[in-house]
Amino acid sequence: MPIVSSATDNEMTNHKSTPLFSTFSVIALMVFMVMGFFISQLIGVYIAVKLFLPDADTLSMGTLFYIGSNDGTVVSVSIIITSLLITAITLGIIRIKGGSISQYLAFRPFSVGIGIGMFALLLLFAIASQAVTYWVEATPLIFVDPLYQSVSSVWLLIFAMVIAAPVYEELVFRGILWSAISEQFAGSRGTIVASVITSLIFALIHIQYGWYEISTIVLLALLFCYARIKSGSLWLPILLHIINNGIAMWLYISQVG
């Protein structure tokens, strides 16, 4: 992954001056991507169940999804399938609209100094979050218990949750949706509106968590947005998201292992 410098002013100016989506299209895009997010997950679970549960054909649809959503191997594979589907949908939409994928999704190198600074900020957030979680006696990763206990390989679960999930979530929330919303406004107002809206939606789709965890996710999402703004690159939020999930998974495994 190249980590050298940020995008040129001309690239950013050209991107801002020619919005890829109209205001109505942005609203439709938000609805479509959120629906696509959940539908892709259902498709992923369905395919994974058919592949890994031998009795799948004898199960009702409701039972199939219930059992599948609690099986570590099925969930891990479904996350990988979802990542592929969401990536294809995101890139396809931008190409259909005639946009440049690398420019619209900010696939640009970023400054090493900015990367180190954002990593330090993420580390401070992780320490503070862990302290508060311990203080309020919350168990944010309790939903991982049945997955960890039933997965065929822990490394499969780690890859799905630490690599695959952050990649497609960033493509959607700090990628296409953030760009589509921010380009509707002039100046810094667009970045603020895009950051708030995408962070709220990002937190609300994590329905497996309680209200305390969701509020923490909002702050984390805003941090990822700040990384996107500060660096001018989507690579940095993706990297930070992977590191964050990696830290969370490492802490979980060290406690249950």
Side-chain angles (χ1 to χ4, degrees):
M1 183 186 302
I3 307 178
V4 247
S5 62
S6 58
T8 64
D9 292 338
N10 287 336
E11 287 177 324
M12 295 298 291
T13 302
N14 291 338
H15 170 60
K16 288 290 186 180
S17 61
T18 55
L20 198 63
F21 295 90
S22 65
T23 302
F24 176 78
S25 296
V26 170
I27 297 173
L29 179 66
M30 286 191 290
V31 174
F32 177 80
M33 292 306 296
V34 171
M35 289 179 61
F37 192 87
F38 287 111
I39 292 173
S40 296
Q41 289 179 332
L42 292 175
I43 292 173
V45 170
Y46 182 80
I47 294 174
V49 164
K50 290 293 186 178
L51 290 174
F52 295 98
L53 295 186
D55 299 329
D57 292 335
T58 65
L59 302 175
S60 67
M61 193 63 70
T63 304
L64 184 147
F65 281 110
Y66 176 77
I67 295 176
S69 63
N70 287 281
D71 184 279
T73 301
V74 168
V75 170
S76 298
V77 173
S78 73
I79 290 174
I80 296 171
I81 293 173
T82 300
S83 181
L84 295 174
L85 290 174
I86 290 295
T87 298
I89 291 170
T90 302
L91 302 185
I93 290 174
I94 296 172
R95 291 302 298 269
I96 289 172
K97 294 291 291 185
S100 165
I101 290 174
S102 60
Q103 182 176 322
Y104 203 73
L105 293 179
F107 286 148
R108 309 181 185 98
F110 59 87
S111 162
V112 173
I114 291 175
I116 293 174
M118 290 305 307
F119 172 74
L121 190 59
L122 175 66
L123 194 59
L124 289 174
F125 175 86
I127 294 171
S129 176
Q130 186 66 22
V132 174
T133 298
Y134 179 80
W135 180 56
V136 300
E137 299 181 346
T139 52
L141 290 181
I142 193 171
F143 74 94
V144 179
D145 287 346
L147 307 181
Y148 181 78
Q149 294 163 7
S150 60
V151 72
S152 59
S153 169
V154 173
W155 288 107
L156 177 62
L157 183 64
I158 291 173
F159 176 80
M161 299 190 72
V162 175
I163 305 295
V167 169
Y168 78 78
E169 288 178 350
E170 291 306 311
L171 280 177
V172 172
F173 294 99
R174 262 64 63 182
I176 188 170
L177 290 184
W178 193 93
S179 293
I181 296 171
S182 65
E183 70 181 0
Q184 304 301 312
F185 304 88
S188 61
R189 184 184 174 192
T191 62
I192 294 172
V193 173
S195 298
V196 171
I197 291 177
T198 57
S199 297
L200 289 175
I201 298 174
F202 177 71
L204 291 175
I205 65 165
H206 287 79
I207 55 178
Q208 70 269 36
Y209 293 109
W211 286 107
Y212 163 73
E213 290 81 9
I214 287 178
S215 63
T216 302
I217 291 173
V218 171
L219 296 177
L220 184 63
L222 288 171
L223 189 151
F224 293 152
C225 289
Y226 181 62
R228 160 82 195 255
I229 296 167
K230 190 74 174 175
S231 66
S233 171
L234 187 62
W235 289 124
L236 184 54
I238 290 174
L239 180 60
L240 293 177
H241 199 153
I242 289 172
I243 292 172
N244 176 78
N245 284 22
I247 292 173
M249 185 60 71
W250 174 74
L251 289 173
Y252 174 82
I253 292 176
S254 66
Q255 291 171 0
V256 300

